[in-house]
Amino acid sequence: MQAVSRLRGFWPGMITARSNSNRSSDRLLYWLLVPVFVVSILPIVRLGFEGVMVGGVPSFDYFRDVLGNGSTWQATANSLYTAGLGTIISLLIGGSFAFLVALTDVRAKAALVFCFMIPMMIPPQITALSWVQLTGPSSALLNAFGIAPAMGSPQPLYSAEGIALLLGIQHASIVFLTLRANLRMLPREQIEAARLAGARGGRLWWQIILPLTSPGLIAGTAMAFVTALGNFGITAMLGIPANYATLPTLIYQKLAGFGPSVLGEVSVLAMLIGAIAICGVALHHRLLSKRDYRLMGMVGRPLDIRLGARRPMIEGILWTVLVAILVVPLLALIATSLVPAFGVKLNFDNYSFAAFREVLFVQPSTARAFQNSFMLSVGAAVTLVLVCLPLAYVMVRRPSRLTKLINLLVEVPYALPGVVLAIACILLFIRIPLLDVSLYGTLGIIFIAYLARFLVIALRPVMNSFSQLDPALEEAAQACGAGLGRRLRDILLPLAAPSAAAGALLVFLTAFNELTVSALLWASGNETLGVLIFNLDDSGDTVLASAVAVMVVLVVIALMSCFQLASRRLPKGVVPWQT
């Protein structure tokens, strides 16, 4: 009877504790909703408001002017062509690497994955700069070997196909990552059963492997297309010299040439490119909704296809592709940074480190850009982790219509091209109501744009981690009287820390070299590294731009190498490109 009496006293207390916990979670959600709404949703709302208001009166004049202009549709067609062709190239390169590395017995897989991820971490403007230095008659590297095209020959990359090629190389890692995750979940036992049933070669791949991995393939394709559509660094550095306008470069040229007076027209262009990106994301979700290839149970052993005598040849092809897309362009960039002037033949008599001395010790903009990029990237990574940990907990543990809406809305700033987000932030923060303060031209507006842009990158890994944790751990702590804060601090956060660290690392590496957003938001004294390289090359200081780019690439590779070496001592999941 005493035990029954204790139980009767226990359950009401348990119900009361759960009720208090739910109220605490609701309050926490409402507090977290404020910054999420301000950085993610309010700029997009302000963007739409600007496009339909003329002189404070609702009007569609901006839409008529922009959509009735032939240059708008030419830029739209150019964007769709380069993004579509670039996505196909990304599929070919990234998909081939993913299938061979994940499913076969090729050696040195960790090194292959690490090297294949480097192009994704290198800023697109550096990718474009290095390939421009590699090709054409002014290439210092080709001239050093006497194989450069004749002077006066056209630069082959200043074309739609050249832009698409570099977009495909830049975003192949996205396809690789998403597809590789699905491939490693393929059940070896089911594949072997299909082989015993007579499935061989192309039939096995077409009827079994490809359908099971189609979700990752579709997701990687959609992400590559949307990212290519909004890519500014490659399209600007290759398209502007060739007078080949895409929607991001058209927006940049209008805003740079006419300033805030064309914000209404620019907002319509931003909404146009945003609508195309959203259509791509919607098509991705529709394709996935029509297929269901879920696997029952856990994968005991990953599939491992033996290549036999073909293994050395396959490995040689993989490493040759990596050398072609990573090592050779980097060598061309280094060669350009060592010549006294762009176009001069590099030899042992005229090589010089003067460009490095200039950018390191003479020009203060380089140190300032490094400092700004480091502060912004670290600040964004830390801030997003602090926000995403409790936000992900509430969204996973307290699902509701509101949390589902938040889960959808945080995708918007990342799905939209960076130039769209930049325009939205300019419109919202050029003059903050009531406070009469302007953030335009300050590091503050770039920081807010980074928070909006990379929120989903930091949030998704933490949500996945919380969804995999057994609720019984938290319920046991709650039964012992632990409040929400205590449970988060002592139980949940330590278990979710590796995923949070992986998200923070991705945010840091991506934001450190970002250009697409900051190209429209920077002002003198607030340059980031991406802006500095773009401006140096645009002003004709190609050798100095190459020197800064070489230093940035070395910093990125050094950071990735440090995390790679420390991965054995770090919890699993901290290094995002590790298996």
Side-chain angles (χ1 to χ4, degrees):
M1 292 297 293
Q2 291 179 354
V4 172
S5 177
R6 290 195 186 105
L7 285 174
R8 287 175 177 173
F10 172 77
W11 288 114
M14 184 68 178
I15 294 173
T16 303
R18 284 186 176 179
S19 178
N20 293 334
S21 174
N22 292 341
R23 285 196 293 269
S24 299
S25 299
D26 291 339
R27 287 195 298 268
L28 179 61
L29 176 62
Y30 295 141
W31 278 108
L32 292 171
L33 185 58
V34 175
V36 171
F37 178 78
V38 170
V39 302
S40 295
I41 310 306
L42 202 55
I44 308 301
V45 174
R46 180 66 180 85
L47 175 66
F49 182 80
E50 183 71 18
V52 298
M53 300 295 291
V54 180
V57 179
S59 173
F60 290 96
D61 290 347
Y62 289 137
F63 279 87
R64 281 194 295 267
D65 293 341
V66 173
L67 299 183
N69 194 326
S71 63
T72 300
W73 298 112
Q74 184 61 53
T76 303
N78 293 342
S79 293
L80 291 174
Y81 177 73
T82 54
L85 183 57
T87 301
I88 294 174
I89 296 173
S90 295
L91 276 173
L92 293 175
I93 299 176
S96 301
F97 260 81
F99 279 110
L100 291 173
V101 171
L103 298 184
T104 68
D105 61 341
V106 295
R107 293 163 291 189
K109 290 186 178 183
L112 284 169
V113 173
F114 177 80
C115 293
F116 195 72
M117 288 301 300
I118 292 177
M120 179 181 175
M121 300 302 175
I122 294 176
Q125 65 274 15
I126 292 182
T127 299
L129 183 64
S130 62
W131 279 83
V132 169
Q133 310 312 328
L134 174 61
T135 58
S138 299
S139 172
L141 183 64
L142 296 184
N143 277 308
F145 291 98
I147 57 175
M151 295 302 295
S153 301
Q155 169 56 259
L157 294 179
Y158 289 161
S159 62
E161 289 72 24
I163 295 173
L165 173 63
L166 297 197
L167 289 175
I169 292 173
Q170 183 76 26
H171 305 136
S173 300
I174 297 176
V175 178
F176 173 80
L177 279 179
T178 53
L179 183 57
R180 177 172 172 254
N182 278 90
L183 290 170
R184 291 195 60 81
M185 294 300 294
L186 281 177
R188 179 170 181 159
E189 292 78 8
Q190 280 85 338
I191 302 299
E192 291 177 347
R195 283 176 174 171
L196 292 176
R200 291 288 187 275
R203 185 180 179 186
L204 177 66
W205 184 85
W206 183 257
Q207 296 186 353
I208 307 296
I209 296 177
L210 187 60
L212 289 176
T213 57
S214 60
L217 195 62
I218 294 172
T221 303
M223 291 176 64
F225 175 78
V226 172
T227 308
L229 186 69
N231 189 294
F232 175 77
I234 292 175
T235 56
M237 298 192 75
L238 299 184
I240 291 178
N243 198 27
Y244 186 86
T246 60
L247 284 174
T249 57
L250 181 62
I251 291 173
Y252 172 78
Q253 289 174 319
K254 278 184 173 291
L255 194 62
F258 300 97
S261 63
V262 294
L263 281 177
E265 297 180 11
V266 165
S267 67
V268 176
L269 286 171
M271 284 188 279
L272 176 60
I273 190 173
I276 297 174
I278 290 175
C279 288
V281 175
L283 179 61
H284 155 232
H285 287 291
R286 181 172 178 80
L287 291 175
L288 288 183
S289 65
K290 290 186 174 182
R291 58 188 66 227
D292 186 6
Y293 295 112
R294 287 175 291 182
L295 301 175
M296 303 301 295
M298 297 297 292
V299 177
R301 294 177 298 165
L303 183 62
D304 190 11
I305 300 175
R306 303 291 175 179
L307 295 176
R310 294 173 295 177
R311 186 169 71 173
M313 181 188 67
I314 297 295
E315 291 174 345
I317 293 174
L318 292 176
W319 284 110
T320 300
V321 172
L322 282 176
V323 170
I325 67 176
L326 177 63
V327 178
V328 176
L330 182 57
L331 290 177
L333 197 65
I334 295 173
T336 304
S337 68
L338 296 177
V339 296
F342 184 55
V344 176
K345 182 178 179 180
L346 178 66
N347 53 48
F348 290 105
D349 297 326
N350 67 354
Y351 78 92
S352 171
F353 293 95
F356 290 94
R357 287 195 296 268
E358 175 74 17
V359 296
L360 284 175
F361 304 112
V362 177
Q363 293 194 6
S365 58
T366 306
R368 188 168 60 238
F370 266 99
Q371 180 180 354
N372 291 340
S373 292
F374 185 80
M375 290 173 53
L376 288 169
S377 56
V378 171
V382 173
T383 303
L384 288 176
V385 165
L386 294 178
V387 172
C388 289
L389 281 169
L391 180 63
Y393 167 79
V394 176
M395 293 175 67
V396 172
R397 290 289 188 261
R398 294 278 292 154
S400 63
R401 291 182 178 179
L402 181 59
T403 57
K404 291 180 180 178
L405 179 62
I406 296 173
N407 191 30
L408 177 64
L409 293 179
V410 295
E411 296 268 7
V412 175
Y414 189 76
L416 294 177
V419 290
V420 177
L421 178 62
I423 296 297
C425 289
I426 291 173
L427 292 170
L428 181 62
F429 298 110
I430 195 170
R431 182 65 59 184
I432 300 177
L434 301 178
L435 299 179
D436 196 30
V437 175
S438 176
L439 294 180
Y440 183 63
T442 67
L443 287 176
I445 192 172
I446 301 178
F447 180 70
I448 293 174
Y450 282 6
L451 295 181
R453 182 72 168 171
F454 304 122
L455 173 61
V456 69
I457 295 180
L459 181 64
R460 286 293 176 259
V462 185
M463 286 187 63
N464 292 337
S465 179
F466 278 133
S467 64
Q468 294 173 358
L469 295 179
D470 190 350
L473 296 172
E474 184 183 0
E475 293 173 356
Q478 187 176 347
C480 295
L484 177 61
R486 181 76 179 273
R487 298 197 305 272
L488 284 173
R489 184 181 67 250
D490 294 346
I491 298 176
L492 298 174
L493 297 189
L495 295 174
S499 297
L505 178 58
L506 279 177
V507 170
F508 171 77
L509 290 174
T510 308
F512 185 70
N513 297 305
E514 201 280 331
L515 172 65
T516 306
V517 173
S518 54
L520 298 179
L521 299 179
W522 74 281
S524 180
N526 295 327
E527 307 95 336
T528 61
L529 284 171
V531 170
L532 177 64
I533 295 171
F534 177 74
N535 288 343
L536 285 173
D537 182 71
D538 190 50
S539 62
D541 294 325
T542 305
V543 177
L544 298 183
S546 300
V548 177
V550 169
M551 291 188 294
V552 170
V553 172
L554 293 179
V555 169
V556 170
I557 295 177
L559 289 173
M560 292 180 64
S561 300
C562 290
F563 286 111
Q564 180 79 9
L565 293 174
S567 61
R568 295 181 179 179
R569 294 186 174 90
L570 296 174
K572 290 183 178 180
V574 172
V575 182
W577 56 83
Q578 285 277 10
T579 301

